[in-house]
Amino acid sequence: MDRRTFIAAMTCFSLLPAAAFARKIKPYSGPHITRVVLNKGERRLYLLSGTKVIKKFKVGLGGIPQGHKQFEGDGKTPEGSYIIDRRNPGSKYHLSIGISYPNAQDIAFAQMHGKSAGGDIFIHGRAGENKGRGRDWTAGCIAVKDRHMEEIYMMVALGTQIDIHP
């Protein structure tokens, strides 16, 4: 390919919208997801409709996976019952859904120790550049493969309960 052809091809390529290369997220039409359960020890996230497991996913956790998150910066993933309370389609981790950590008990415990409970705990993708960082690499979030995050994002509605077990 000569230089002019190469430059013309690259110019045409740069004019195409990035959306033309983005993955199409498929809408979900299955059973209503009533609860999300994370078993930290198994590194598994379960999406349930009633008592039936609809989907399960392998996950990565905070850098220190054992124990309940107590303070900002402790590298732990929370344990307990929370709510899916926000969605972030523009997340730097591909997509994300927020967990309502910290609750009143988490805040009170941290304040009793003169610290912040932290926050911004999400279920999110890996966003490519985080591949190869090992299994437990987040600051306390729950990480899944990007393609799995697309499914979770479409399946789990705001207000869904999430139970996080050791």
Side-chain angles (χ1 to χ4, degrees):
M1 176 184 306
D2 72 353
R3 183 181 160 144
R4 278 189 251 163
T5 305
F6 177 76
I7 292 171
M10 295 314 306
T11 302
C12 289
F13 179 77
S14 68
L15 295 175
L16 290 172
F21 298 99
R23 286 190 283 208
K24 178 99 169 141
I25 299 176
K26 298 176 187 169
Y28 176 68
S29 60
H32 176 70
I33 301 303
T34 57
R35 192 164 62 117
V36 176
V37 176
L38 171 65
N39 184 311
K40 289 171 55 174
E42 292 178 2
R43 303 294 193 290
R44 294 289 185 274
L45 183 75
Y46 301 91
L47 306 185
L48 290 87
S49 181
T51 57
K52 183 179 179 188
V53 174
I54 303 301
K55 285 288 246 185
K56 66 181 176 180
F57 304 94
K58 291 181 181 179
V59 302
L61 302 171
I64 302 174
Q66 292 82 25
H68 173 57
K69 182 168 194 61
Q70 297 177 320
F71 310 116
E72 182 174 18
D74 66 9
K76 296 181 180 181
T77 301
E79 296 171 359
S81 289
Y82 299 93
I83 300 295
I84 301 299
D85 65 352
R86 58 203 183 278
R87 300 167 72 77
N88 184 0
S91 170
K92 70 179 184 176
Y93 298 104
H94 185 56
L95 293 168
S96 63
I97 55 175
I99 297 171
S100 64
Y101 175 88
N103 61 27
Q105 292 169 311
D106 298 320
I107 293 167
F109 181 86
Q111 286 177 342
M112 200 168 66
H113 290 85
K115 297 184 177 186
S116 166
D120 283 340
I121 302 297
F122 288 86
I123 301 170
H124 59 66
R126 293 183 74 89
E129 70 269 10
N130 295 301
K131 289 180 182 172
R133 289 186 67 183
R135 180 170 63 176
D136 299 320
W137 58 273
T138 75
C141 293
I142 302 158
V144 297
K145 292 180 178 181
D146 288 350
R147 72 177 188 270
H148 294 161
M149 189 61 225
E150 292 170 4
E151 290 182 73
I152 294 164
Y153 192 85
M154 296 306 289
M155 294 173 80
V156 178
L158 292 178
T160 303
Q161 181 176 330
I162 177 167
D163 297 320
I164 305 172
H165 302 286

